Amino acid sequence: MLACGQPARQSRATWQHGGVTAATHSTLFPQAPDSADAVLEGLDPEQRAVATALHGPVCVLAGAGTGKTRAITHRIAYGVRAGILQPSSVLAVTFTNRAAGEMRGRLRQLGAHGVQARTFHSAALRQLQYFWPKAIGGGMPRLIDRKIQLVADAAASLGTRLDRGELRDVTAEIEWSKVTQTIPADYPYAAAKASREAPRDPTEIAHLYAAYEDLKRDRAVIDFEDVLLLTVAILQDRHDVAEQVRSQYQHFVVDEYQDVSPLQQRLLQLWLGDRDNLCVVGDASQTIYSFTGATPDHLLDFRARHPGATVVKLVRDYRSTPQVVHLANGLLAQARGRAADHRLELVSQRAPGPEPVYTEYTDEPAEAEGAARRIRELIDAGVPAAEIAVLFRTNAQSETYEQALADVGVPYQLRGAERFFDRPEVRKAGIALRGAARFGGNDSLLDDAVDLPSQVRAVLSGEGWTTEPPAGSGAVRERWESLAALVGLAHDLAAARPGATLGDLVTELDERANAQHAPTVQGVTLASLHAAKGLEWDVVFLVGIAEGMLPITYARTDEQIEEERRLLYVGVTRARERLHLSWALSRSPGTRPNRRPSHFLDGLRPGTTPTVGHTGTAATGGIERGTTTGTIAAPRRTQRTPARCRVCGRTLTDAGEMKLMRCEDCPSDMDEGLYERLREWRAVQAERSGQPDFCVFTDRTLMAIAEARPETPAELSRIPGVLSRKLRSYGTDVLAICAGREAGEGDEGD
């Protein structure tokens, strides 16, 4: 039986997959309720309290998955159907076109026609266009879609040259300044006060900001922030215009109120005037956009500004299982700061499900392969690909997962990010590497580069690559991460093929780019944690949950660290049924394991205790081992041991020993005859594919196979070096040889 307030699970799944049958048509497109009381049917007690609180200020504190949109749309519909609210007098505002569209659709289904549901910008633009002739006179300036070209022109006017990444970052600083109502001259002070990592000298950014504003005036154009600023200015300066707006809209609803910027709050105050018919909905624990100027202070201060406000808390979670909710609550229990003081303790309304799974891997490629393999198994077991998501902290992480999913034949779609090989810096780097591969002998940069990784670093240094990452976040950091991924690929290729050249790397890049042209519909979602806000899936893989990635390296202040924690909380609460959390001990295969799991998981994953200064309940999810991992170390350790010798138990750190799972000088139980047969088979495969022997399998991998003598594909896949592509290409032959049979014809390679 469905819990009160929970929509039908089948109808939601059918809707998401685009299928509408006669049986579900009435559920997906229901008849409007025939009375005001009918609007309230199916709401839980707290949602009903929201829906019937129609007078004065109302603050709804709504946790993830608690049906907040359902509550506020039923509130509006109930007021309209009861004759308390006039549809044309209601303005509901939110932050994305998708959310506004969803709200309009629900209101229509509930029979509340004529209610305006818009984004802040859309509502302000409509008013600005209408009142411009009366308040300003003449035609309204043209609204530009993108600022970057104007910022570039402003920089050129000052003799400043900005690359593409710097343009994006400076543009972001200008946007932040405008939504926080910071004028150019005040930018250095405001940025320092907000602990922002400015992409260039703050004084220089202030000059660029001023030049940008001058250029806009000269060209008679405005940007999206100007829409809000100009609407605010008109409402402040023209009392008659403000009264006309206030006579039109008597009642306001604001969704995602924790994301309101100071400029949006000022506009809302001007819409309201001296009235208090305002309903706000939000969750301080989901504040993850402070870098854009969003602040939860307006939500947290609401009761102080409106002492008589009705406050309703929604904590019944209809989205996630008790196991997922338990982990989400545990994360917030360890949080600190003002938002943490107002956290909501969620209570799952769903039947129990599987415990969250924690998995440790030796390196990032192994982590991606492990996630892809599990996803393949889930899809084969009947889970729709569209009900699975892989969520990561930075867009630069996507390439590894794009490749891993392509390797196992799983379609995927990227949300909120360009494909890795479509990114401008990656395309430009590819051109530079291709040119160096052809004409490297004439390039002085390559004279001292003796191996492939050194050559790649030399080439990419001309594209802005540095050995140390840039300070701060933003486009410059993302660009560095993309180039770092190419350097990492060069290391991997050199480790697998010691004689690899720049030409080999270019070929590898081309093959990877081609392999990633997978269908983008009905696929597994790849998204950053920021892009995943507001979405949900049956199965969620949270990857890269390691110190330095989550929290991200450049999060230094307590406020920044706590926002990183909230970001992980948002990721956890995207999962309905299954949740996988994983991390890697090193970036690349064979490198020193110098990472540890995120301290956000301390006290939550089994075998750990809360970080000093925090409290929390222990989760009971199981820890699984990824490829050649060791036991989970104590939470205070900074270095982790990836494996122990299966003969003597000594800790293994050498990459070759880790592949064999034993010390070099420990006795081997290798089947010498099997090893020789595998070598002979490898030589044939290498000749067929035109590759060196080690590109099929290295000697150590063959030794590991001859020692393990696997009998099934699963046993073979657990041997380090037997990646999914090689298992697919060579697995049948290898297992036949291990069983004492002749190898079949086999495949010729990947």
Side-chain angles (χ1 to χ4, degrees), residues 304-438:
R305 295 196 310 273
H306 304 277
T310 299
V311 179
V312 182
K313 294 183 180 181
L314 301 183
V315 296
R316 300 178 195 242
D317 188 325
Y318 298 103
R319 175 188 299 160
S320 304
T321 63
Q323 288 73 16
V324 173
V325 168
H326 182 63
L327 175 58
N329 286 336
L331 277 171
L332 294 188
Q334 298 186 14
R336 293 177 291 181
R338 194 173 182 216
D341 293 340
H342 294 80
R343 71 180 186 275
L344 300 169
E345 186 84 8
L346 299 178
V347 181
S348 175
Q349 305 299 295
R350 296 195 54 177
E355 295 288 349
V357 176
Y358 302 85
T359 311
E360 180 178 276
Y361 294 91
T362 53
D363 50 68
E364 289 182 2
E367 183 180 12
E369 281 210 351
R373 185 166 54 248
R374 292 185 180 196
I375 289 169
R376 178 76 269 174
E377 292 168 355
L378 288 167
I379 293 173
D380 291 343
V383 178
E387 288 296 338
I388 304 173
V390 179
L391 307 181
F392 34 74
R393 176 61 179 85
T394 69
N395 289 329
Q397 293 169 269
S398 73
E399 190 272 336
T400 305
Y401 291 89
E402 293 172 46
Q403 181 65 47
L405 290 174
D407 286 347
V408 295
V410 171
Y412 62 85
Q413 52 185 331
L414 285 170
R415 186 177 187 92
E418 296 171 295
R419 287 174 175 270
F420 180 82
F421 288 103
D422 289 341
R423 296 173 190 166
E425 64 270 18
V426 174
R427 291 201 304 267
K428 190 176 179 184
I431 293 171
L433 290 168
R434 193 179 306 278
R438 290 180 180 175

Side-chain angles (χ1 to χ4, degrees), residues 495-551:
R497 299 166 56 183
T501 65
L502 275 175
D504 295 328
L505 178 64
V506 169
T507 300
E508 175 74 8
L509 290 173
D510 290 342
E511 290 176 353
R512 286 180 176 235
N514 292 333
Q516 290 170 17
H517 292 164
T520 57
V521 295
Q522 290 304 308
V524 171
T525 299
L526 296 178
S528 70
L529 288 165
H530 283 102
K533 179 74 165 63
L535 304 174
E536 59 186 80
W537 297 269
D538 283 347
V539 186
V540 169
F541 287 79
L542 295 176
V543 300
I545 313 300
E547 288 293 309
M549 190 58 72
L550 195 69

Side-chain angles (χ1 to χ4, degrees), residues 728-748:
R728 197 167 59 245
S729 298
Y730 305 126
T732 301
D733 279 3
V734 170
L735 290 173
I737 295 170
C738 290
R741 301 191 301 270
E742 290 293 326
E745 289 299 317
D747 295 325
E748 292 189 1

Side-chain angles (χ1 to χ4, degrees), residues 106-383:
R106 293 198 189 194
L107 289 170
R108 283 195 299 269
Q109 290 179 358
L110 293 169
H113 301 281
V115 174
Q116 293 291 313
R118 297 179 175 274
T119 65
F120 269 100
H121 281 89
S122 173
L125 179 60
R126 192 168 185 237
Q127 294 173 19
L128 189 63
Q129 291 170 330
Y130 182 81
F131 289 111
W132 187 276
K134 177 180 180 179
I136 307 297
M140 197 179 88
R142 178 173 62 87
L143 176 63
I144 57 173
D145 293 330
R146 300 174 71 248
K147 301 181 181 67
I148 283 186
Q149 187 55 55
L150 267 179
V151 175
D153 292 346
S157 71
L158 297 176
T160 302
R161 183 172 181 176
L162 303 176
D163 64 26
R164 185 183 179 90
E166 290 174 318
L167 278 173
R168 283 177 53 196
D169 287 344
V170 170
T171 299
E173 291 305 294
I174 291 174
E175 290 174 350
W176 174 82
S177 299
K178 299 182 78 165
V179 301
T180 56
Q181 302 177 82
T182 301
I183 63 174
D186 291 344
Y187 171 80
Y189 170 76
K193 184 178 179 181
S195 300
R196 292 185 72 83
E197 292 276 1
R200 295 178 76 96
D201 180 82
T203 302
E204 185 178 14
I205 292 178
H207 291 320
L208 287 167
Y209 178 14
Y212 168 78
E213 292 297 314
D214 291 340
L215 197 57
K216 281 200 293 102
R217 282 190 291 271
D218 293 343
R219 297 184 182 180
V221 296
I222 58 175
D223 59 30
F224 277 100
E225 287 70 42
D226 290 330
V227 170
L228 300 182
L229 285 164
L230 289 168
T231 304
V232 165
I234 290 175
L235 293 175
Q236 287 179 158
D237 296 343
R238 293 291 298 264
H239 180 75
D240 56 333
V241 171
E243 286 304 311
Q244 190 171 343
V245 171
R246 292 167 190 161
S247 66
Q248 170 70 46
Y249 297 115
Q250 305 289 325
H251 199 97
F252 297 86
V253 177
V254 184
D255 192 15
E256 302 287 3
Y257 194 53
Q258 78 277 354
D259 291 332
V260 166
S261 70
L263 179 57
Q264 290 164 332
Q265 176 65 18
R266 179 58 184 148
L267 177 60
L268 179 62
Q269 290 170 337
L270 289 167
W271 282 339
L272 275 168
D274 57 2
R275 300 165 300 172
D276 61 0
N277 288 325
L278 170 65
C279 174
V280 300
V281 188
D283 179 8
S285 296
Q286 296 189 68
T287 306
I288 59 173
Y289 298 109
S290 66
F291 59 91
T292 67
T295 170
D297 289 344
H298 306 301
L299 175 67
L300 299 177
D301 292 338
F302 189 84
R303 282 169 286 186
R305 295 196 310 273
H306 304 277
T310 299
V311 179
V312 182
K313 294 183 180 181
L314 301 183
V315 296
R316 300 178 195 242
D317 188 325
Y318 298 103
R319 175 188 299 160
S320 304
T321 63
Q323 288 73 16
V324 173
V325 168
H326 182 63
L327 175 58
N329 286 336
L331 277 171
L332 294 188
Q334 298 186 14
R336 293 177 291 181
R338 194 173 182 216
D341 293 340
H342 294 80
R343 71 180 186 275
L344 300 169
E345 186 84 8
L346 299 178
V347 181
S348 175
Q349 305 299 295
R350 296 195 54 177
E355 295 288 349
V357 176
Y358 302 85
T359 311
E360 180 178 276
Y361 294 91
T362 53
D363 50 68
E364 289 182 2
E367 183 180 12
E369 281 210 351
R373 185 166 54 248
R374 292 185 180 196
I375 289 169
R376 178 76 269 174
E377 292 168 355
L378 288 167
I379 293 173
D380 291 343
V383 178

Side-chain angles (χ1 to χ4, degrees), residues 58 107 126 162 328 439 489 567 595 603:
V58 178
L107 289 170
R126 192 168 185 237
L162 303 176
F439 311 109
L489 179 61
L567 196 56
R595 295 180 177 176

Side-chain angles (χ1 to χ4, degrees), residues 60-133:
V60 182
L61 302 175
T66 58
K68 65 180 179 61
T69 305
R70 180 179 176 84
I72 59 176
T73 52
H74 280 69
R75 178 181 186 273
I76 295 170
Y78 176 72
V80 170
R81 299 298 295 274
I84 300 172
L85 303 178
Q86 292 299 315
S88 60
S89 71
V90 179
L91 177 59
V93 289
T94 186
F95 287 84
T96 67
N97 290 323
R98 180 185 61 80
E102 180 184 357
M103 194 178 293
R104 286 193 295 269
R106 293 198 189 194
L107 289 170
R108 283 195 299 269
Q109 290 179 358
L110 293 169
H113 301 281
V115 174
Q116 293 291 313
R118 297 179 175 274
T119 65
F120 269 100
H121 281 89
S122 173
L125 179 60
R126 192 168 185 237
Q127 294 173 19
L128 189 63
Q129 291 170 330
Y130 182 81
F131 289 111
W132 187 276

